[in-house]
């Protein structure tokens, strides 16, 4: 994820938390004075008394008019104490009336945002179309680049194989050359050894011929 996308995500999370806290504070703030209402409500012993008290607290445009009690609480067979019963009815309706404006604010924001988005989309349709075209071109270019990279990788692998083969050939040639050089050195050593033997034989022959010549000279002198 790039830095811009991460920044936007963090901004959205922060905004949601702030709005949530703001709306919850609004909701709970509406209950700050509720104990003043409950003081009168717990004194009620009949639905008629409760309805009269409720009229003094609920707004005229309340969703549930005085006397309209939630089905789950409007049970004639209930064994709950009247104070608890009417307090529950009141708190349920009070919570509903408290959350109504909060829901209206949220829905208004959602609708307003949607309308703004539609307006911006209409105003910048050409720009958005160009953006999507660029995205498409970028995707196509990415695929093409990936194909080029893949082709290059294949060529590189082939070159590596060729280089390896040439290195192996060179290694074999070097080995052959080394063997030939060793054989030449061995032959040179043999030649030198044989030449030495020949020299030694020649020296022996020369010595023998010298001795023979001396003997012949002595023999000639004796005969004369």
């Amino acid at each position: 994820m790039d830095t811009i996308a991460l920044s936007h995500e963090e901004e959205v999370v922060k905004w949601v938390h702030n709005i949530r806290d703001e709306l919850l504070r609004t909701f709970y703030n509406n209950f700050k004075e509720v104990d003043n209402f409950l003081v009168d409500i717990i004194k009620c012993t009949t639905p008629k008394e409760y309805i009269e008290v409720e009229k003094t607290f609920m707004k005229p445009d309340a969703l549930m008019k005085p006397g309209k009690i939630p089905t789950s609480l409007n049970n004639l067979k209930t064994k709950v104490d009247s104070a608890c019963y009417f307090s529950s009815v009141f708190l349920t309706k009070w919570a509903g009336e408290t959350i109504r404006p909060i829901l209206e604010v949220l829905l208004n924001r959602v609708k307003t945002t949607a309308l703004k988005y539609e307006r911006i989309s209409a105003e910048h349709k050409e720009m958005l179309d160009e953006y999507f075209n660029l995205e498409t071109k970028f995707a196509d270019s990415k695929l093409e680049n990936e194909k080029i990279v893949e082709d290059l990788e294949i060529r590189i692998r082939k070159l590596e194989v060729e280089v390896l083969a040439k290195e192996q050939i060179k290694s074999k040639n070097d080995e052959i050359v080394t063997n030939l050089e060793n054989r030449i050195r061995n032959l040179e050593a043999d030649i030198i050894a044989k030449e030495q033997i020949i020299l030694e034989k020649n020296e022996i022959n020369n010595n023998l011929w010298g001795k023979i010549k001396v003997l012949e000279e002595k023999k000639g002198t004796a005969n004369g």
Side-chain angles (χ1 to χ4, degrees):
M1 182 181 294
D2 57 30
T3 305
I4 295 177
L6 181 60
S7 176
H8 287 173
E9 183 177 346
E10 291 175 348
E11 184 178 349
V12 169
V13 171
K14 183 178 179 180
W15 181 85
V16 170
H17 287 175
N18 290 339
I19 295 299
R20 178 201 62 191
D21 294 344
E22 175 189 344
L23 295 178
L24 284 175
R25 279 194 297 271
T26 301
F27 178 79
Y28 291 128
N29 285 340
N30 282 300
F31 286 85
K32 285 184 177 179
E33 305 297 330
V34 76
D35 55 337
N36 295 329
F37 308 147
L38 292 175
V39 170
D40 294 330
I41 289 173
I42 61 176
K43 296 177 183 178
C44 299
T45 57
T46 65
K48 184 177 180 180
E49 291 178 357
Y50 168 75
I51 291 171
E52 292 302 319
V53 173
E54 186 184 287
K55 287 179 180 179
T56 63
F57 302 138
M58 291 296 178
K59 296 179 180 179
D61 63 342
L63 292 176
M64 297 187 70
K65 305 299 181 184
K68 297 292 184 180
I69 299 174
T71 304
S72 58
L73 296 175
N74 189 17
N75 185 355
L76 297 177
K77 297 180 180 180
T78 182
K79 302 298 182 180
V80 180
D81 179 76
S82 59
C84 294
Y85 180 81
F86 292 127
S87 296
S88 299
V89 173
F90 170 75
L91 290 173
T92 300
K93 296 175 74 172
W94 184 262
E97 290 303 311
T98 298
I99 203 170
R100 184 172 68 161
I102 295 175
L103 291 175
E104 290 175 352
V105 169
L106 284 176
L107 293 174
N108 281 330
R109 286 181 178 177
V110 171
K111 185 61 177 178
T112 301
T113 302
L115 291 174
K116 285 183 179 179
Y117 176 77
E118 291 177 1
R119 178 176 57 79
I120 293 173
S121 297
E123 291 176 354
H124 301 283
K125 184 178 184 304
E126 183 177 349
M127 185 183 298
L128 289 173
D129 290 342
E130 181 65 22
Y131 171 75
F132 290 128
N133 289 335
L134 287 174
E135 273 195 335
T136 302
K137 290 179 180 179
F138 175 76
D140 294 340
S141 175
K142 183 180 179 182
L143 289 174
E144 185 177 351
N145 289 337
E146 288 177 351
K147 185 177 180 181
I148 292 173
V149 170
E150 185 179 357
D151 291 340
L152 288 174
E153 288 177 345
I154 292 173
R155 292 179 63 185
I156 290 171
R157 284 195 292 270
K158 288 182 178 179
L159 288 173
E160 288 176 343
V161 172
E162 291 179 4
V163 170
L164 181 61
K166 289 180 179 179
E167 287 179 347
Q168 290 176 345
I169 293 172
K170 182 178 180 298
S171 177
K172 289 181 179 179
N173 290 337
D174 291 342
E175 184 178 355
I176 292 171
V177 170
T178 301
N179 291 335
L180 288 173
E181 289 176 346
N182 290 334
R183 290 179 65 183
I184 290 170
R185 281 194 292 271
N186 291 334
L187 288 172
E188 288 176 344
D190 289 342
I191 291 171
I192 292 171
K194 289 178 180 179
E195 288 178 346
Q196 184 65 32
I197 292 171
I198 292 171
L199 289 174
E200 290 176 355
K201 286 182 178 181
N202 288 337
E203 185 177 355
I204 292 171
N205 289 334
N206 289 333
N207 290 334
L208 288 174
W209 282 111
K211 289 180 179 180
I212 291 171
K213 186 176 181 181
V214 171
L215 290 173
E216 287 179 346
E217 288 177 354
K218 287 181 178 181
K219 183 179 179 181
T221 302
N223 291 331

